[in-house]
Amino acid sequence: MTIATRTTRLKEASKKRREQQKTDLRAGILEAATKLFEEKGYEGFSLRQVAEEIGYTPTTIYLYFKDKDDLLLNVVYEGFKLFGESLEAGYRSTDDVLERFRAVGWAYFNFAMANPIHYRLMFMQRGEFLQEEPPEGHSPVIDSFGVIQRVIADGIEAGVMRRGDVRTLSTLVWANVHGVVSLILTGSHVQVNMEEARQLFGMQLEATKRAFCI
Amino acid sequence: MTIATRTTRLKEASKKRREQQKTDLRAGILEAATKLFEEKGYEGFSLRQVAEEIGYTPTTIYLYFKDKDDLLLNVVYEGFKLFGESLEAGYRSTDDVLERFRAVGWAYFNFAMANPIHYRLMFMQRGEFLQEEPPEGHSPVIDSFGVIQRVIADGIEAGVMRRGDVRTLSTLVWANVHGVVSLILTGSHVQVNMEEARQLFGMQLEATKRAFCI
Amino acid sequence: MTIATRTTRLKEASKKRREQQKTDLRAGILEAATKLFEEKGYEGFSLRQVAEEIGYTPTTIYLYFKDKDDLLLNVVYEGFKLFGESLEAGYRSTDDVLERFRAVGWAYFNFAMANPIHYRLMFMQRGEFLQEEPPEGHSPVIDSFGVIQRVIADGIEAGVMRRGDVRTLSTLVWANVHGVVSLILTGSHVQVNMEEARQLFGMQLEATKRAFCI
Amino acid sequence: MTIATRTTRLKEASKKRREQQKTDLRAGILEAATKLFEEKGYEGFSLRQVAEEIGYTPTTIYLYFKDKDDLLLNVVYEGFKLFGESLEAGYRSTDDVLERFRAVGWAYFNFAMANPIHYRLMFMQRGEFLQEEPPEGHSPVIDSFGVIQRVIADGIEAGVMRRGDVRTLSTLVWANVHGVVSLILTGSHVQVNMEEARQLFGMQLEATKRAFCI
DNA sequence: TATGAATGAGTATTCATTCAT
DNA sequence: AATGAATGAATACTCATTCAT
C-alpha cells in the first residue's frame, strides 16, 4: 500500500534523523569535554560544566557515556586515532626514507598545530588514565608510535641513519619534534606566529637529521 | 576521643606543632604546601591538607597568604627561583664551553626529576598562571633562560658551535632537552626508571651536541 | 559495542526478552520486582533495576503500574496473600488441635524465612504503607490473623488450652512466634544459621505450648 | 587587676557557653537524626534532611561527625547505652531471682515505651551496620544482653528456672518480651493504649514465667 | 504496546572562605 | 596571632518520571 510505504519511509527517515541527532550530541559532548579538559585540566574538569556548555543537564551525559572516566577516555582516544592516521598517511606518502622522515615529521607538526588541544591532552598532561583499556573501537596508544619506529628502522636498514636500538632512537627523535612542538604550544616562553613556527620546526627537523643520520 | 572528625584530627596535629614553633610559620606553610603540591599537583592541592600538615587551622593560613592562589603563586615561584639558581650554578661550574653545555643540561634534567610538578607547571601547562605578577621578591620565570642563551652565545663565540641567531638556536637546544624530559615526565608513553631516564638524557645531550656543534 | 552505558545494557537485555514474550508482561514485572524487593529491600528497590531485569525500558513499567509505589504495593500484597494462604494451608493440614498449632506455627516460620523482606514490612516496620487501600483483588493484611485466632479458639474449645480472651491469648501466642522470628531476621543480635534457627523456633513453639496449654 | 579578672571570667564564661552550644548542636543533630532515621529508614535517611531539620547546612554536620555512618552509629549506640543502663538498674533493684526477672522485664518494657524510636532502631531494623566498631565511649551492643543472661543464670542456679543452655534460654525469654513489645510498637495490627499495653505485657511476663520456671 | 531522550530533584562529600572571638 | 563555627558552592552520580514518537 502506498500509505504504508509512505509511513515506512517516514519512519525510516525519522529513525535516521534521531540517530543523527544522537551522534551529533555525542560528538558535541566530546567536543565540549575536550575543550574543558584542556582548559581546566584533569582535576578541574567537571561533568557539570560539560553539560552547561552543551546546554543539557548533567544527567544526559550519562546516556552517552558510562561515567566521567569513560568520557575522558573517549576524548583522548578520539585524538589518538586522528593522530595515528595522520602519521600513517605521512609514512605512506613516499618510498624514500629521508623524504619519509620529513613527511612524517611534518604530519606530526601539522596535527599538533591543527589539534593543539588534543595534542596537549595526549602528550603534555598527566597520562595515568591512559593505562586503562582503550574504549571500544580504539587501538592502544602505542600504535601511533609504531610509525615513528618504522621510519627509523627503515632509515637504519637503508644505511642512512646511525645504527642503534630502534626504540631508543625513535624516542629521541620523537623527543626532538615533541620538544619544539610543545614549546610552541605552551606559548608562554616561546611566542611565535604560525610562519615562525613552521620555520622553527623546519630547522629542528634538519638538526635532528644531522644528529641521527650518517 | 571520638572518631576522627576533621576537628579532632586537627587537634591532634596541633600537639606536634608546638615542638617546632620556633621555625617561622610562613616558611612552614610554604614548605608543607610545596610538598603537597609536588605530591598532589595543581588541582589536587588543598588548603585544608596544608593546614593539617602543619598543625594549624586553615584559617591561620589566611593570616600569611591572601588566598589559595596567593599561596600557590609563592610556592611556584619558589620553585622557579630554585630552577634559575640550578642552571646558574651549572653555568658557573666550569669555564669550558662544552663542559658548560653539559653541566647546564644536567642541572636542567636534575631539577625536572626532583621537581616534576614545578617543571610541568612551568613548561607543560598553559601559562596563564605565569602571566600574573610574580610575588614580592621573585623574578619572572623567563629570566632562567638567559642562562641557556649565554651557553649558546659562549659556544658560538668560542667557535665550537654552529653560527646562527642565538635566540633561535637556544630555543632549539632547549626544545631538545625539554622534549626528552617532558616525555619522561608524562610517563604514559615512555616508561623508564630513573637510571634509564639518565641514560636517555645523556644520549640526547650528545645528539644535541652533534646537531649544533661544528 | 561501546562500554556498557545504561542504554546499551538495556539493549542487551532486550534480546533475552523476546524468548519469553509469551508470559504476561505484568506478571513478569511483578516477579522481577518481587525478587529485587527481597534482595534489596524497600529502599534499595529501583524501577531501573526492575526494567533491566526484565529487559524492558523503565518507561514500559508505567504502562502497567501507575508509579513506583503502585508497583511496590502490588508486590507487597502479593506476599501477604501468600502468607495468608500458607497459614491457612497449615490450619487445614490436620484436625488435631495441637498438631494444628504446630503446623500453623511452622507455616509462619517458613514464610518468614523464605520472604524476610515481606515479613519485615508486615510486622517490623511502620505500618503507614499498609494503611493504604489494598490494590484490586487483595484483602487487608489483618485477615491473615484470623487463622491464629481460630487455632486458639479451637484449642480452648477442645479443653487443651487455658481459657481467656481469645483475642488477647492469640496476640500473646503470636508475640512469641513473632519475637523469635524477628530476632532471627534482624540478625545483628542473634546470629544463627538456618538449622539453628529451626531448632530455636522449635524450642519456642514448645515453650509457648507450656505457657498456654493446660 | 580587676579588669583582667573580669576579662578572664568573661572569657571562661564564653568558652563554657560555646562548649555548651557545641554539645547542644551535637545533641540536636543526634536527635534529629534519630527521628529521621526512624521515619525514613536506613536508606531513606539523608544528611541533607537532618541538616534542614536542625536549621544548619549539611556541611556543618561534618564538623561533628565524620560521615553519615558515623552519625548513624552514634544515634544507635546512644540508645544502646540508655537501654543497658535501664536493664542494669532493674537487675540491681532486688536480690530475689523472680523479682529480678520481673524488674528487668519491666525495665525492658518501660525503656521501649519511653524510647520507641531507639527501640525500633535497635531491634527492628536491619542491623548490618551494628557489626562495626562501636564509636568512642560506647560498649558493644552485646553487653546489654549480658543482663538478661545473668537473670536466667541466676534463676537456674537458684533452682527456680528450668535448666538448659543459658544463652539459648535467654534468647527465648528475650524473644517473648521483644515479641509483645514490638507488636505494640508496630501498631498496625495490635492497637492498644498504654494501659492495655501494660496489661498485655504483664500477662506475657507471667506466661513466660510459666514456660521457663519450674 | 513500547521506547529513546531528557530532565529535575536528590544523594554524600569536599573545599575555600568568612566572621566573631 | 590564632581559632572554632559555619557556610555556599561545587563535585559525581542515581533515580523516578514525562513526553513525543
Side-chain angles (χ1 to χ4, degrees), chain B residues 104-161:
Chain B
V104 172
W106 283 107
Y108 188 108
F109 175 80
N110 288 329
F111 174 86
M113 294 300 123
N115 308 277
I117 305 270
H118 274 106
Y119 188 86
R120 305 176 63 84
L121 197 64
M122 294 191 285
F123 304 129
M124 296 161 69
Q125 256 143 25
R126 251 168 133 195
E128 308 95 348
F129 197 74
L130 304 182
Q131 315 297 0
E132 305 191 24
E133 277 284 277
E136 241 188 358
H138 288 283
S139 341
V141 186
I142 199 70
D143 284 12
S144 299
F145 303 110
V147 184
I148 297 183
Q149 297 195 32
R150 273 185 277 141
V151 170
I152 304 300
D154 293 352
I156 294 175
E157 198 176 341
V160 173
M161 290 193 177

Coordinates of all heavy atoms in Angstrom, one line a residue, chain B residues 104-161:
Chain B
V104 N 75.0 22.6 32.4 CA 73.7 23.2 32.4 C 72.6 22.2 32.0 O 71.5 22.2 32.7 CB 73.6 24.5 31.5 CG1 72.2 25.0 31.4 CG2 74.6 25.5 32.0
G105 N 72.9 21.4 31.1 CA 72.0 20.4 30.7 C 71.6 19.4 31.8 O 70.4 19.2 32.1
W106 N 72.6 19.0 32.5 CA 72.3 18.1 33.6 C 71.6 18.8 34.8 O 70.8 18.2 35.5 CB 73.6 17.4 34.1 CG 74.0 16.2 33.2 CD1 75.0 16.2 32.3 CD2 73.3 15.0 33.0 NE1 75.0 15.1 31.6 CE2 74.0 14.3 32.0 CE3 72.2 14.4 33.6 CZ2 73.6 13.0 31.6 CZ3 71.8 13.1 33.2 CH2 72.5 12.4 32.2
A107 N 71.9 20.0 35.0 CA 71.2 20.8 36.0 C 69.7 20.9 35.7 O 68.9 20.7 36.5 CB 71.8 22.2 36.1
Y108 N 69.5 21.1 34.4 CA 68.1 21.2 33.9 C 67.4 19.8 34.2 O 66.3 19.8 34.8 CB 68.2 21.4 32.4 CG 66.8 21.7 31.7 CD1 66.5 23.0 31.3 CD2 65.9 20.7 31.5 CE1 65.3 23.3 30.6 CE2 64.7 21.0 30.8 CZ 64.4 22.2 30.4 OH 63.2 22.5 29.8
F109 N 68.0 18.8 33.8 CA 67.5 17.4 34.0 C 67.2 17.1 35.4 O 66.1 16.7 35.8 CB 68.4 16.4 33.4 CG 68.0 15.0 33.6 CD1 67.1 14.4 32.9 CD2 68.6 14.2 34.7 CE1 66.7 13.0 33.1 CE2 68.3 12.9 34.9 CZ 67.3 12.3 34.1
N110 N 68.2 17.4 36.3 CA 68.1 17.1 37.7 C 66.9 17.9 38.4 O 66.2 17.3 39.2 CB 69.4 17.3 38.4 CG 70.4 16.3 38.0 OD1 70.1 15.1 37.7 ND2 71.7 16.7 38.0
F111 N 66.8 19.1 38.0 CA 65.7 19.9 38.5 C 64.4 19.3 38.2 O 63.5 19.1 39.0 CB 65.8 21.4 38.1 CG 64.6 22.1 38.5 CD1 64.6 22.7 39.8 CD2 63.4 22.2 37.8 CE1 63.5 23.4 40.2 CE2 62.3 22.9 38.2 CZ 62.3 23.5 39.5
A112 N 64.3 19.0 36.9 CA 63.0 18.4 36.4 C 62.6 17.1 37.2 O 61.5 16.9 37.5 CB 63.0 18.2 34.9
M113 N 63.6 16.3 37.4 CA 63.4 15.0 38.0 C 63.0 15.2 39.5 O 62.2 14.5 40.0 CB 64.6 14.1 37.9 CG 64.9 13.6 36.5 SD 63.5 12.7 35.7 CE 63.2 13.7 34.3
A114 N 63.6 16.2 40.1 CA 63.4 16.4 41.5 C 62.1 17.2 41.8 O 61.5 17.1 42.8 CB 64.6 17.1 42.2
N115 N 61.7 18.0 40.8 CA 60.5 18.8 41.0 C 59.6 18.7 39.8 O 59.3 19.7 39.1 CB 61.0 20.3 41.2 CG 62.0 20.5 42.2 OD1 61.7 20.5 43.4 ND2 63.3 20.5 41.8
P116 N 59.1 17.5 39.6 CA 58.3 17.3 38.4 C 57.1 18.2 38.3 O 56.8 18.7 37.2 CB 57.9 15.8 38.5 CG 58.1 15.5 39.9 CD 59.2 16.3 40.4
I117 N 56.4 18.4 39.4 CA 55.2 19.2 39.3 C 55.6 20.7 38.9 O 54.9 21.3 38.1 CB 54.5 19.2 40.6 CG1 54.2 17.8 41.1 CG2 53.2 20.0 40.5 CD1 52.9 17.3 40.6
H118 N 56.6 21.2 39.5 CA 57.0 22.5 39.2 C 57.4 22.5 37.7 O 57.0 23.5 37.0 CB 58.3 22.9 40.0 CG 57.9 23.5 41.3 ND1 58.1 22.9 42.5 CD2 57.4 24.7 41.6 CE1 57.7 23.7 43.5 NE2 57.3 24.8 43.0
Y119 N 58.1 21.6 37.3 CA 58.5 21.6 35.9 C 57.3 21.6 34.9 O 57.3 22.3 34.0 CB 59.4 20.3 35.6 CG 60.0 20.4 34.2 CD1 61.2 21.1 33.9 CD2 59.3 19.9 33.1 CE1 61.7 21.2 32.6 CE2 59.8 20.0 31.8 CZ 61.0 20.6 31.6 OH 61.5 20.8 30.3
R120 N 56.4 20.7 35.3 CA 55.2 20.6 34.4 C 54.5 22.0 34.4 O 54.1 22.4 33.3 CB 54.2 19.6 35.0 CG 54.8 18.2 35.2 CD 53.7 17.3 35.9 NE 52.6 17.2 35.0 CZ 52.5 16.4 34.0 NH1 53.5 15.5 33.8 NH2 51.5 16.3 33.2
L121 N 54.4 22.6 35.5 CA 53.7 23.8 35.6 C 54.4 24.9 34.7 O 53.8 25.7 34.0 CB 53.6 24.3 37.0 CG 52.6 25.4 37.3 CD1 51.2 24.8 37.0 CD2 52.7 25.9 38.7
M122 N 55.7 24.9 34.8 CA 56.4 25.9 34.1 C 56.4 25.7 32.6 O 56.2 26.7 31.8 CB 57.9 25.9 34.5 CG 58.1 26.3 36.0 SD 59.8 26.6 36.4 CE 60.4 24.9 36.5
F123 N 56.5 24.5 32.1 CA 56.7 24.3 30.7 C 55.6 23.4 30.0 O 55.7 23.3 28.8 CB 58.1 23.6 30.5 CG 59.2 24.4 31.0 CD1 60.1 23.8 31.9 CD2 59.3 25.8 30.8 CE1 61.1 24.5 32.4 CE2 60.3 26.5 31.3 CZ 61.3 25.9 32.1
M124 N 54.8 22.8 30.8 CA 53.9 21.9 30.1 C 52.4 22.2 30.2 O 51.6 21.5 29.7 CB 54.1 20.4 30.6 CG 55.5 20.0 30.3 SD 56.0 18.6 31.3 CE 54.9 17.3 30.7
Q125 N 52.2 23.2 31.0 CA 50.8 23.6 31.2 C 50.6 25.0 30.6 O 51.5 25.7 30.4 CB 50.3 23.5 32.6 CG 49.5 22.2 32.9 CD 49.8 21.6 34.2 OE1 50.2 22.3 35.1 NE2 49.6 20.3 34.3
R126 N 49.3 25.2 30.4 CA 49.0 26.6 29.9 C 49.5 27.6 30.8 O 49.4 27.5 32.0 CB 47.6 26.7 29.7 CG 47.3 26.7 28.2 CD 45.8 26.6 28.0 NE 45.3 27.5 27.0 CZ 44.0 27.7 26.9 NH1 43.2 27.1 27.7 NH2 43.5 28.5 26.0
G127 N 50.1 28.7 30.3 CA 50.8 29.6 31.1 C 50.1 30.7 31.8 O 50.7 31.6 32.4
E128 N 48.7 30.7 31.8 CA 48.0 31.9 32.4 C 48.6 32.2 33.7 O 48.9 33.3 34.1 CB 46.5 31.6 32.6 CG 45.8 31.2 31.3 CD 45.7 29.7 31.3 OE1 46.4 29.1 32.2 OE2 45.0 29.1 30.5
F129 N 48.7 31.1 34.5 CA 49.2 31.2 35.8 C 50.5 32.0 35.9 O 50.7 32.8 36.8 CB 49.4 29.8 36.4 CG 49.5 29.8 37.9 CD1 48.4 29.9 38.7 CD2 50.7 29.6 38.5 CE1 48.4 29.9 40.0 CE2 50.8 29.5 39.9 CZ 49.7 29.7 40.7
L130 N 51.3 31.8 34.9 CA 52.6 32.5 34.9 C 52.6 33.9 34.4 O 53.5 34.7 34.6 CB 53.6 31.7 34.0 CG 53.7 30.3 34.5 CD1 54.8 29.6 33.6 CD2 54.1 30.2 35.9
Q131 N 51.5 34.3 33.8 CA 51.4 35.7 33.3 C 51.2 36.7 34.4 O 51.6 37.8 34.3 CB 50.2 35.8 32.3 CG 50.1 34.7 31.3 CD 51.2 34.6 30.4 OE1 52.2 35.3 30.4 NE2 51.2 33.6 29.5
E132 N 50.7 36.2 35.6 CA 50.5 37.1 36.7 C 51.8 37.7 37.2 O 52.9 37.1 37.0 CB 49.8 36.4 37.8 CG 48.5 35.7 37.4 CD 47.7 35.3 38.6 OE1 47.9 35.9 39.7 OE2 46.9 34.4 38.5
E133 N 51.7 38.8 37.8 CA 52.8 39.4 38.5 C 53.5 38.4 39.4 O 52.8 37.7 40.2 CB 52.3 40.6 39.4 CG 52.1 41.9 38.8 CD 53.4 42.6 38.5 OE1 53.9 43.2 39.4 OE2 53.9 42.5 37.3
P134 N 54.8 38.3 39.3 CA 55.5 37.5 40.3 C 55.3 38.1 41.7 O 55.2 39.3 41.8 CB 56.9 37.5 39.9 CG 57.0 38.1 38.6 CD 55.7 38.9 38.4
P135 N 55.2 37.3 42.7 CA 55.0 37.8 44.1 C 56.3 38.5 44.5 O 57.4 38.3 43.9 CB 54.7 36.6 44.9 CG 55.3 35.4 44.2 CD 55.2 35.8 42.7
E136 N 56.2 39.3 45.5 CA 57.3 40.1 46.0 C 58.6 39.3 46.1 O 58.6 38.2 46.7 CB 56.9 40.6 47.4 CG 57.0 42.1 47.5 CD 56.8 42.5 49.0 OE1 56.6 41.6 49.8 OE2 56.8 43.7 49.3
G137 N 59.7 39.8 45.7 CA 60.9 39.1 45.9 C 61.2 38.1 44.8 O 62.2 37.3 45.0
H138 N 60.4 37.9 43.8 CA 60.7 36.9 42.8 C 60.8 37.6 41.4 O 60.1 38.6 41.1 CB 59.5 35.9 42.8 CG 59.6 35.0 44.0 ND1 60.4 33.9 44.1 CD2 58.8 35.0 45.1 CE1 60.2 33.3 45.2 NE2 59.3 33.9 45.9
S139 N 61.6 37.0 40.6 CA 61.8 37.5 39.2 C 60.9 36.7 38.3 O 60.5 35.6 38.6 CB 63.2 37.3 38.8 OG 64.1 37.1 39.8
P140 N 60.7 37.2 37.1 CA 59.9 36.5 36.1 C 60.6 35.2 35.7 O 61.8 35.1 35.7 CB 59.8 37.4 34.9 CG 60.3 38.7 35.4 CD 61.1 38.5 36.6
V141 N 59.8 34.2 35.4 CA 60.3 32.9 35.0 C 61.3 33.0 33.9 O 62.4 32.4 33.9 CB 59.2 32.0 34.5 CG1 59.7 30.6 34.2 CG2 58.0 32.0 35.5
I142 N 61.0 33.8 32.9 CA 61.8 33.9 31.7 C 63.2 34.1 32.0 O 64.1 33.6 31.2 CB 61.2 35.0 30.8 CG1 61.6 34.7 29.4 CG2 61.5 36.4 31.3 CD1 61.0 33.5 28.7
D143 N 63.6 34.7 33.1 CA 65.0 35.0 33.4 C 65.8 33.8 33.3 O 67.0 33.8 32.9 CB 65.1 35.6 34.8 CG 64.7 37.1 34.7 OD1 64.1 37.5 33.7 OD2 64.9 37.8 35.7
S144 N 65.3 32.7 33.7 CA 66.1 31.4 33.7 C 66.7 31.1 32.4 O 67.7 30.5 32.3 CB 65.2 30.3 34.2 OG 64.7 30.5 35.5
F145 N 66.0 31.5 31.3 CA 66.5 31.1 30.0 C 67.6 31.9 29.5 O 68.3 31.6 28.5 CB 65.3 31.1 29.0 CG 64.3 30.2 29.6 CD1 63.2 30.7 30.1 CD2 64.7 28.8 29.8 CE1 62.3 29.8 30.7 CE2 63.8 28.0 30.4 CZ 62.6 28.5 30.8
G146 N 67.9 33.0 30.2 CA 69.1 33.8 29.9 C 70.3 32.8 30.0 O 71.2 32.9 29.1
V147 N 70.3 32.0 30.9 CA 71.4 31.1 31.1 C 71.7 30.2 29.8 O 72.8 30.1 29.3 CB 71.2 30.1 32.3 CG1 72.4 29.3 32.5 CG2 70.9 31.0 33.5
I148 N 70.6 29.6 29.3 CA 70.8 28.8 28.1 C 71.3 29.7 27.0 O 72.2 29.2 26.2 CB 69.4 28.2 27.7 CG1 68.9 27.2 28.8 CG2 69.5 27.4 26.4 CD1 67.7 26.5 28.5
Q149 N 70.7 30.8 26.8 CA 71.2 31.7 25.7 C 72.7 32.0 25.9 O 73.5 32.1 24.9 CB 70.4 33.0 25.7 CG 68.9 32.7 25.3 CD 68.2 33.9 24.9 OE1 68.8 34.8 24.3 NE2 66.9 34.0 25.2
R150 N 73.1 32.2 27.1 CA 74.6 32.5 27.3 C 75.4 31.3 27.0 O 76.5 31.5 26.4 CB 74.8 32.9 28.8 CG 74.6 34.4 29.0 CD 74.9 34.8 30.4 NE 73.8 34.6 31.3 CZ 73.9 34.1 32.6 NH1 75.2 33.8 33.1 NH2 72.9 33.9 33.3
V151 N 74.9 30.1 27.3 CA 75.7 28.9 26.9 C 75.9 28.9 25.4 O 77.0 28.7 25.0 CB 75.0 27.6 27.4 CG1 75.6 26.4 26.8 CG2 74.9 27.6 28.9
I152 N 74.8 29.1 24.7 CA 74.9 29.1 23.2 C 75.8 30.2 22.7 O 76.7 29.9 21.9 CB 73.5 29.2 22.6 CG1 72.6 28.1 23.1 CG2 73.6 29.1 21.0 CD1 73.0 26.7 22.9
A153 N 75.6 31.4 23.2 CA 76.4 32.5 22.8 C 77.9 32.2 23.0 O 78.8 32.4 22.1 CB 76.0 33.8 23.5
D154 N 78.2 31.7 24.2 CA 79.6 31.4 24.5 C 80.1 30.4 23.5 O 81.3 30.5 23.0 CB 79.7 30.7 25.9 CG 79.3 31.7 27.0 OD1 79.2 32.9 26.7 OD2 79.2 31.3 28.2
G155 N 79.3 29.3 23.2 CA 79.8 28.3 22.3 C 80.1 28.9 20.9 O 81.1 28.5 20.3
I156 N 79.2 29.7 20.4 CA 79.4 30.3 19.1 C 80.7 31.2 19.1 O 81.6 31.0 18.2 CB 78.2 31.2 18.7 CG1 77.0 30.3 18.5 CG2 78.5 32.0 17.4 CD1 75.7 31.0 18.2
E157 N 80.8 32.0 20.1 CA 81.9 32.9 20.3 C 83.3 32.1 20.3 O 84.3 32.5 19.7 CB 81.8 33.7 21.5 CG 82.7 35.0 21.5 CD 82.4 35.8 22.8 OE1 81.4 35.6 23.4 OE2 83.3 36.6 23.1
A158 N 83.2 30.9 21.0 CA 84.4 30.1 21.1 C 84.6 29.3 19.8 O 85.6 28.5 19.7 CB 84.3 29.2 22.3
G159 N 83.7 29.4 18.8 CA 83.9 28.7 17.6 C 83.6 27.2 17.7 O 83.9 26.4 16.8
V160 N 82.9 26.9 18.7 CA 82.6 25.4 18.9 C 81.2 25.1 18.4 O 81.0 24.0 17.9 CB 82.7 25.1 20.4 CG1 82.2 23.7 20.7 CG2 84.1 25.3 20.9
M161 N 80.4 26.1 18.4 CA 79.0 25.8 17.9 C 78.7 26.5 16.6 O 79.3 27.5 16.3 CB 78.0 26.3 19.0 CG 78.0 25.4 20.2 SD 76.6 25.7 21.3 CE 76.9 24.5 22.6

